[in-house]
Amino acid sequence: MNILNIITGNVARGPQTVRFPGREAPAAAYRGSVTMDAAKCLACGICDYVCVSRAIAVTPGAASCEWTYDPGRCTYCGRCVDHCPVAAVTQAGDRGDSYARSGAQRATVTVPYPACPQCGRPAMPYNEAVLGAAFGDVSAELRERIHLCERCRRRATTAALKANFGAAAETGRSDDGR
Amino acid sequence: MTVVRGLISLLVFPGALFALPAGWFMMWLQRKINARAQGRIGPPFFQPFFDFVKLLAKEPVVRPRLQGFLMTVLPLAAVASTLGAIALLPVFPKAGGFSGDLVLLVSLIEVGPLCAVLGGFVSRSLYGGIGASREAVLTLAYNVPFLIALFALVASAGSFSLAGVALAAAWPVRVLALIALVACIPVKLHLNPFSAASAEQEIYAGSTTEYDGPRLALWELAHALEWVALTGLVASLAFPVADAAWPVRVVVFVAVSVALVVVLSFAAASTARLKLAQTARWFLLCGSGIALSALVVAFVRL
Amino acid sequence: MSPVITMGPFHPALEEPYKIDVVCEGEHVTDASIRVGFNFRAIEWLAERKNYTADIALFEHVCGICSNVHTLCLSRAIETLAGIEVPERAQYIRVVVAEAERLHSHLLWAGIACELIGFETLFMACFGLREKIMDVLEAISGNRVNYAMNRPGGVNRDIADPGAVLAAVRAIADATSKQLIPVLTTDATVRARCAGVGVLTRADAIAYGAVGPTARASGLPQDIRASAPYEAYDRLLFEVPVRQEGDVFARVVVRALEILESCRIIEQAIEQMPAGPFRGDDYPKVPAGEVCSRIEGPRGEVFYYVASDGSDTPTRVRVRTPTFANMPTARPMVLGQTFADVPLIQASLDPCYSCTDR
Amino acid sequence: MDAESILHMLDVESAAEHRTDGWWVDVPDLDVRGLATLMRTREVRFVTLTGTPDTAGGYRLIYHWDADGALLNIATTVSAGCIASIADIWPAADWVERELRDYYALVFEGRAETPTLMLLEGDEPGLFSRTSAAGREIDPAVTARDAAEAERKES
């Protein structure tokens, strides 16, 4: 009569029901809704690429990038957090609020493109860690150029190339002994 | 038995005024014990009463006239007959009763299940029909030990009156017969392990599947009264206190009834539901065996 | 007259929509037909339009109960195709999560089986135990059902507190062996409902391609963990419980014993788990080709076929879930049984209709 | 029975390739029913059947078998859209054949009937290979009528 042991155990222990709102806090690793820190964002769009349910959308604009997130679509898989190269995307550790209307918690974060130090036009955001991962040893020249907007960077690169070619051409000409 | 006394036992004690709250209390107690056995909190004290009021307040589904009439009359008949059975209970063995009231009691108790069978069929639901046929088979099955046990008591006491049985039946016969009677109660009350007639995982609510609102409330009421009638029958036969003052008798009657509810509830919580054929076989073999032994003992003594 | 009794698509005995039409003579079943597809989501079609990283999250949602087996099987398919080695620690973590999921699935099933025979007290006891393993899984992965643990080349999260896992698993093994198994195997009413009911013969089990506990309860000793060990299973000791009877009771016993085996596996895995890295590269380069991958889920063998053309999106992903193989066996099982047994028999397969429908 | 012996009996030993996930062999003119009968007598378990469109406009069907724990994948090509059914030899193949009809409108010959499995009764088979009149693929979530409607509006 083992079932009687279970029953007497239950009676002796008392009800196990947790009365509202006495709910246990979620585990430390809990995967809640996603937030994004615009200050860290590179606007690379990886979170959009890995998002299975299209809860995250990254829409690049002229001077800034729109990052939208809809918890109603989110599957809370955490892929965006795992794959973000600069840890700009994080997940809340709590269960969040309930809501009644579809899309009520949709969030939009605008990631402004920093101004180009030369011309003032929008340039792409940059991050030291990613720069290191992409190029290994970062030369002073590269670090200086990375802040520029695309146009200024192209110009700077062309100028540098021209300068190099020019020097080579100068020496070549002199070597020619014409 | 005077008319006044009859009315009092029908309307006051052990009738309506006592039986209604007592029935709700017993239903609550069963659910509460079940919940505690499972480690849950269980329903609040007034839950069966709230359920009843809530169902009464609901607008019933519109049905064809004859069907609607039958579906109202059948649960009403079940309520009325069960109330009548309660009024006949020999709580005060010396105070009333008449020769042959045992037969009346048995037939009144049987009206409830009969109404449930008919009610299931007239509701014209497939599941109601299956529930009704299960109910019918089970009624046949448990009535074998039920009637044999009562007959053993009658044979032992030499009287067809409830009061006579309560006072005069020999104790060995009485114990065996009461065990058989108690075993029959779970079938009538749809409790495990003999709850095949209302197995929700198979046939939803069985014969009451199609019932709604006030009509279902009447079934719930009949169910609550059945609790009182059946536990009361066993209680009044098990502890007939003939000579004590009436408050003592009432207290003993209520205490034994409640104790029976507790036992049945724990038994229900610790078993699975048997199938229809298994339930029927149990009653025809084990249940009848106990009842028959009571009968044998009764005749040997005579 | 033999009435056709329809169970479903919505029925108190079923947690998910599906339909079984039972033809009855009296209480006896003379014919039955099964309809699925109520949950059809065309996940295989969707998978051909999403990249591998998103696909893993997509297949996580094939099933709510056995979500880990799908990501594990797909990850393994991608790893085989791309030739990725999984770090040893990740292999053990995968085993721990997979077995914890088996515990959770089997305890859930045991509870539902008890509920179907009207044994609510035991149902609550099973679900109480299940809650323990759910807490463990939440502590490891951060979620109760969709764990999101696997990625090609490893796992996403480390097991931060192996001691807590070990303690919970030991408590479950203890309660299972001391409380659950004695009641399930010796209780008279449980035996009356389960023994000799819904027999699947060995021949039928082969013909219908039954897998997992259903096959093992019919005398087929098949278990991918033993026959083609993956991850760390070749370094762990465990037994494959097999019964010959093929009835519901045999399936109850097989699953109950598997709960104990899973506890044993988790204990060993936690103890043997080496330190080291647990995840690999972020984006696997998947060359063109095709691959099959099989693992043993709680309900049986999970089969994935993945074809790639070398891009970041698969050209075809085919899933054969265990219930897809097991569900048709319900028909030979219910024939000749009583109607009251039908819910229990179909539940004894541990069916998962969302899995089947995909 | 083990995989090598089966391959030997089928006389495709030389064409077969052993990879980490099991044996693979392509048999363009496969006698499906003969294969099924052989597997049934040798108790080689039917795992499943995979159908996938090939580049030539036909379909590639892969019969997966479990021979003593080893996976045996026998592939064949279906160009005419129909192939013999093995559901009477292997009841396990019944559902998967119905499913392939639902997905790609493949016809399995020799079956008394092929009811839908995933689709509703009466739905057009070939859900995954549906294309609009303009040649674009149609999302399975969109019904045929909705798709036609949308196209008409566009044009």
Side-chain angles (χ1 to χ4, degrees):
Chain A
M1 294 307 275
N2 213 281
I3 185 70
L4 293 183
N5 292 346
I6 296 180
I7 290 180
T8 45
N10 280 339
V11 173
R13 241 181 307 138
Q16 305 290 297
T17 318
V18 182
R19 280 186 186 271
F20 185 81
R23 207 173 169 193
E24 269 177 59
Y30 187 77
R31 307 198 305 265
S33 76
V34 175
T35 46
M36 205 271 284
D37 182 359
K40 290 183 184 168
C41 182
L42 289 181
C44 64
I46 284 176
C47 45
D48 183 334
Y49 175 79
V50 298
C51 183
V52 65
S53 55
R54 294 186 199 148
I56 294 179
V58 177
T59 326
S64 64
C65 175
E66 290 261 291
W67 182 92
T68 53
Y69 169 66
D70 184 357
R73 295 188 70 113
C74 185
T75 67
Y76 302 94
C77 67
R79 284 296 77 77
C80 46
V81 179
D82 286 344
H83 284 96
C84 183
V86 289
V89 183
T90 46
Q91 273 184 294
D94 59 28
R95 295 192 174 92
D97 299 326
S98 52
Y99 58 96
R101 196 168 44 81
S102 169
Q105 291 188 327
R106 192 174 291 143
T108 304
V109 178
T110 308
V111 183
Y113 295 151
C116 171
Q118 275 185 14
C119 65
R121 285 203 188 83
M124 288 310 283
Y126 108 108
N127 176 290
E128 193 69 30
V130 176
L131 198 64
F135 297 99
D137 286 333
V138 185
S139 63
E141 193 188 4
L142 180 62
R143 178 156 297 133
E144 189 184 292
R145 221 176 282 164
I146 204 74
H147 290 282
L148 301 177
C149 73
E150 215 174 316
R151 220 172 109 211
C152 293
R153 199 185 305 151
R154 203 184 309 131
R155 239 183 233 167
T157 312
T158 320
L161 278 174
K162 262 189 189 158
N164 280 341
F165 274 127
E170 286 301 322
T171 43
R173 218 170 280 156
S174 60
D175 276 356
D176 199 18
R178 187 162 53 113
Chain B
M1 189 180 185
T2 64
V3 176
V4 177
R5 187 156 264 163
L7 274 178
I8 287 176
S9 40
L10 185 66
L11 298 177
V12 183
F13 184 85
L17 200 63
F18 164 77
L20 272 182
W24 285 326
F25 170 73
M26 286 174 178
M27 282 168 87
W28 169 80
L29 188 62
Q30 188 265 326
R31 287 173 63 182
K32 195 78 178 174
I33 289 174
N34 194 31
R36 285 301 161 98
Q38 297 168 6
R40 293 187 286 119
I41 290 180
F45 185 76
F46 288 105
Q47 193 61 49
F49 171 72
F50 291 154
D51 287 348
F52 179 73
V53 172
K54 178 194 78 183
L55 285 173
L56 268 192
K58 289 202 170 187
E59 193 184 335
V61 171
V62 179
R63 298 187 181 277
R65 258 171 81 188
L66 180 64
Q67 194 193 23
F69 173 72
L70 285 173
M71 284 173 74
T72 316
V73 164
L74 286 167
L76 262 181
V79 171
S81 66
T82 315
L83 207 54
I86 293 172
L88 287 175
L89 291 180
V91 187
F92 311 107
K94 279 192 173 163
F98 50 88
S99 177
D101 58 357
L102 179 73
V103 180
L104 181 59
L105 178 98
V106 168
S107 39
L108 283 176
I109 283 183
E110 282 319 304
V111 172
L114 187 67
C115 287
V117 172
L118 290 174
F121 281 121
V122 299
S123 71
R124 297 185 63 81
S125 145
L126 187 61
Y127 302 100
I130 298 175
S133 69
R134 285 186 177 191
E135 185 96 44
V137 171
L138 290 182
T139 307
L140 279 179
Y142 80 77
N143 262 324
V144 175
F146 191 72
L147 294 178
I148 294 177
L150 285 176
F151 194 65
L153 287 171
V154 168
S156 173
S159 156
F160 264 102
S161 103
L162 277 164
V165 168
L167 292 174
W171 276 103
V173 181
R174 193 189 294 244
V175 170
L176 283 171
L178 285 179
I179 291 173
L181 289 184
V182 169
C184 294
I185 296 180
V187 196
K188 292 204 173 226
L189 298 177
H190 297 166
L191 289 178
N192 272 359
F194 305 130
S195 59
S198 66
E200 61 161 344
Q201 287 82 7
E202 296 149 30
I203 52 171
Y204 298 86
S207 56
T208 57
T209 302
E210 276 299 309
Y211 286 80
D212 59 296
R215 295 188 181 112
L216 185 59
L218 287 175
W219 278 126
E220 291 292 312
L221 197 60
H223 190 59
L225 291 175
E226 275 183 341
W227 271 97
V228 182
L230 294 164
T231 54
L233 176 67
V234 175
S236 58
L237 294 180
F239 283 92
V241 217
D243 306 319
W246 69 267
V248 178
R249 293 183 207 152
V250 171
V251 168
V252 169
F253 173 76
V254 172
V256 177
S257 299
V258 169
L260 209 50
V261 174
V262 173
V263 171
L264 289 173
S265 305
F266 274 114
S270 57
T271 46
R273 176 186 302 120
L274 290 177
K275 284 186 280 183
L276 181 67
Q278 289 166 338
T279 313
R281 198 181 308 130
W282 192 91
F283 277 103
L284 294 177
L285 295 176
C286 304
S288 303
I290 301 168
L292 274 175
S293 56
L295 193 65
V296 169
V297 173
F299 275 114
V300 168
R301 282 290 171 98
L302 276 174
Chain C
M1 190 190 76
S2 12
V4 178
I5 301 168
T6 301
M7 280 178 57
F10 303 102
H11 191 277
L14 317 170
E15 296 75 49
E16 294 170 63
Y18 96 117
K19 202 168 91 168
I20 177 160
D21 290 324
V22 187
V23 183
C24 279
E25 251 160 51
E27 285 264 327
H28 284 267
V29 177
T30 53
D31 199 7
S33 65
I34 300 157
R35 273 295 290 155
V36 294
F38 297 93
N39 261 332
F40 179 58
R41 288 153 288 164
I43 285 185
E44 291 181 5
W45 185 89
L46 274 173
E48 294 162 17
R49 281 142 190 89
K50 291 185 184 290
N51 58 61
Y52 286 103
T53 316
D55 267 344
I56 288 176
L58 176 68
F59 281 96
E60 180 116 62
H61 294 82
V62 166
C63 182
I65 297 167
C66 49
S67 61
N68 183 65
V69 297
H70 292 284
T71 58
L72 179 56
C73 202
L74 182 58
S75 297
R76 286 187 51 78
I78 296 169
E79 283 154 12
T80 315
L81 209 50
I84 303 172
E85 280 286 318
V86 179
E88 209 177 349
R89 186 174 178 83
Q91 294 187 4
Y92 280 98
I93 294 174
R94 283 181 173 186
V95 167
V96 170
V97 175
E99 293 305 318
E101 189 185 51
R102 191 184 316 277
L103 282 179
H104 136 57
S105 177
H106 279 4
L107 285 168
L108 175 116
W109 173 82
I112 287 176
C114 293
E115 207 248 334
L116 289 181
I117 56 174
F119 207 157
E120 285 176 13
T121 310
L122 206 49
F123 156 75
M124 293 295 286
C126 292
F127 269 51
L129 270 184
R130 172 175 172 262
E131 210 52 36
K132 286 202 177 81
I133 200 72
M134 299 292 277
D135 287 346
V136 167
L137 282 164
E138 190 184 348
I140 294 176
S141 75
N143 206 334
R144 277 166 62 89
V145 279
N146 293 133
Y147 314 120
M149 281 300 278
N150 298 301
R151 64 156 72 191
V155 289
N156 287 314
R157 271 168 219 81
D158 200 0
I159 295 179
D161 188 0
V165 179
L166 215 50
V169 164
R170 285 192 176 133
I172 289 168
D174 193 50
T176 310
S177 58
K178 288 197 183 131
Q179 291 194 330
L180 220 53
I181 292 183
V183 180
L184 283 171
T185 51
T186 59
D187 187 273
T189 45
V190 173
R191 278 203 78 110
R193 285 305 300 266
C194 299
V197 169
V199 174
L200 181 70
T201 59
R202 188 176 179 277
D204 272 347
I206 295 171
Y208 281 87
V211 295
T214 310
R216 293 196 280 275
S218 292
L220 297 176
Q222 47 147 307
D223 188 328
I224 309 294
R225 289 176 297 170
S227 66
Y230 51 93
E231 306 305 342
Y233 280 111
D234 53 349
R235 281 150 279 169
L236 300 165
L237 287 176
F238 63 97
E239 270 161 35
V240 180
V242 178
R243 302 280 289 197
Q244 304 297 326
E245 300 88 342
D247 57 356
V248 173
F249 189 66
R251 293 192 272 279
V252 171
V253 172
V254 163
R255 288 202 181 87
L257 294 176
E258 278 181 20
I259 292 175
L260 296 181
E261 291 300 322
S262 288
C263 292
R264 238 178 100 193
I265 294 174
I266 296 179
E267 281 186 41
Q268 294 176 52
I270 295 273
E271 276 158 12
Q272 292 180 16
M273 194 155 61
F278 59 91
R279 52 160 82 159
D281 278 345
D282 261 5
Y283 303 102
K285 179 85 193 76
V286 183
E290 57 184 351
V291 70
C292 292
S293 169
R294 293 190 297 167
I295 63 163
E296 186 75 19
R299 300 181 161 94
E301 173 202 67
V302 182
F303 174 94
Y304 268 69
Y305 165 88
V306 179
S308 159
D309 59 358
S311 69
D312 66 346
T313 307
T315 53
R316 175 95 171 99
V317 183
R318 155 119 182 98
V319 192
R320 204 292 320 272
T321 61
T323 308
F324 193 92
N326 280 337
M327 202 57 226
T329 61
R331 191 173 176 274
M333 280 187 207
V334 298
L335 294 185
Q337 302 289 318
T338 60
F339 177 67
D341 290 326
V342 173
L344 180 65
I345 291 173
Q346 64 86 20
S348 74
L349 297 168
D350 197 1
C352 176
Y353 299 102
S354 289
C355 271
T356 311
D357 293 351
R358 302 184 303 290
Chain D
M1 182 159 238
D2 63 308
E4 279 100 331
S5 324
I6 290 286
L7 288 168
H8 181 71
M9 290 170 107
L10 290 169
D11 205 20
V12 289
E13 237 174 342
S14 50
E17 187 192 348
H18 188 246
R19 301 186 206 155
T20 48
D21 59 338
W23 289 90
W24 288 79
V25 60
D26 258 301
V27 187
D29 50 347
L30 181 66
D31 171 19
V32 185
R33 292 188 62 82
L35 174 76
T37 316
L38 174 75
M39 297 304 200
R40 191 87 162 83
T41 51
R42 306 284 157 172
E43 285 197 356
V44 177
R45 179 166 65 90
F46 177 82
V47 175
T48 194
L49 167 61
T50 299
T52 173
D54 64 11
T55 41
Y59 289 92
R60 181 169 149 80
L61 288 191
I62 311 165
Y63 289 83
H64 307 278
W65 308 90
D66 182 299
D68 285 354
L71 196 63
L72 190 56
N73 308 294
I74 300 172
T76 187
T77 310
V78 181
S79 44
C82 58
I83 190 165
S85 165
I86 59 164
D88 53 333
I89 304 167
W90 280 96
D94 177 33
W95 276 25
V96 76
E97 288 184 359
R98 285 163 63 182
E99 190 183 50
L100 280 173
R101 177 184 171 273
D102 283 356
Y103 288 177
Y104 299 117
L106 289 176
V107 177
F108 289 89
E109 289 169 334
R111 291 180 62 117
E113 50 170 0
T114 316
T116 57
L117 187 75
M118 290 301 154
L119 302 182
L120 291 175
E121 266 167 61
D123 271 3
E124 277 288 298
L127 187 74
F128 286 6
S129 51
R130 257 165 53 186
T131 46
S132 66
R136 263 175 307 176
E137 64 182 21
I138 300 174
D139 189 326
V142 180
T143 63
R145 201 197 302 148
D146 286 349
E149 189 96 336
E151 200 149 89
R152 208 181 54 234
K153 266 184 200 160
E154 257 178 50
S155 63

